[in-house]
Amino acid sequence: KTLQKKMEDKAKLKEQENLTTKKIRLTITGLHVKPLEATCSQIINAAKDHEFKVKGPVRIPTKVLRCTVRKSPCGEGTNTWDRYEMRIHKRVIDLFCPSELVKEVTSFKLEPGVDVNVNVSNL
């Protein structure tokens, strides 16, 4: 029995060497907070189901893009202005798992208006 256990342990070590752990950074951006937070929770729940180490979501400060334009098309009349702005919300999640298994964590339907960027690096 001990010889069989040693062989099983060696096989497990070889599998672990083949599936080396990598740091995977998911950057999630969107214009609205609710779909963004829903996507983050889906990713974190899937990663915890697979027992991967998760850090985040880290909330990056909101980027506000502002555009101020004149209301008058010809430039005459009173100086009245329209102010438009677009807010970009961003979250960062770090996963520590083999790069081959990222597909399992991120295999779900994204909500409209949410973008996910994946960066893989060694530890």
Side-chain angles (χ1 to χ4, degrees):
K1 291 183 179 181
T2 57
L3 182 63
Q4 187 178 9
K5 286 184 181 180
K6 286 181 183 178
M7 295 295 283
E8 289 175 3
D9 291 339
K10 285 182 182 180
K12 286 181 183 178
L13 285 174
K14 285 183 181 179
E15 285 180 27
Q16 289 176 354
E17 288 174 5
N18 291 340
L19 300 174
T20 57
T21 303
K22 297 192 184 256
K23 178 181 175 184
I24 294 139
R25 176 162 283 182
L26 299 170
T27 307
I28 305 156
T29 58
L31 299 178
H32 304 289
V33 177
K34 281 188 179 180
L36 191 70
E37 291 293 334
T39 302
C40 288
S41 65
Q42 284 179 342
I43 290 172
I44 290 172
N45 290 338
K48 287 185 178 178
D49 289 343
H50 288 39
E51 298 177 357
F52 297 142
K53 187 177 177 185
V54 179
K55 285 190 179 179
V58 177
R59 289 159 178 83
I60 306 298
T62 304
K63 189 181 287 186
V64 180
L65 305 175
R66 290 190 177 102
C67 183
T68 306
V69 295
R70 285 282 304 269
K71 282 187 180 181
S72 173
C74 62
E76 292 188 18
T78 59
N79 293 339
T80 54
W81 299 85
D82 277 330
R83 291 178 211 94
Y84 300 103
E85 69 178 32
M86 182 170 65
R87 295 176 177 263
I88 300 173
H89 305 277
K90 189 182 281 189
R91 305 285 186 266
V92 175
I93 299 174
D94 288 332
L95 297 176
F96 297 93
C97 66
S99 59
E100 294 84 18
L101 301 177
V102 176
K103 192 86 166 175
E104 294 177 12
V105 174
T106 58
S107 61
F108 59 89
K109 188 175 179 183
L110 285 175
E111 297 194 24
V114 176
D115 296 323
V116 178
N117 185 10
V118 180
N119 292 330
V120 179
S121 63
N122 291 328
L123 287 176

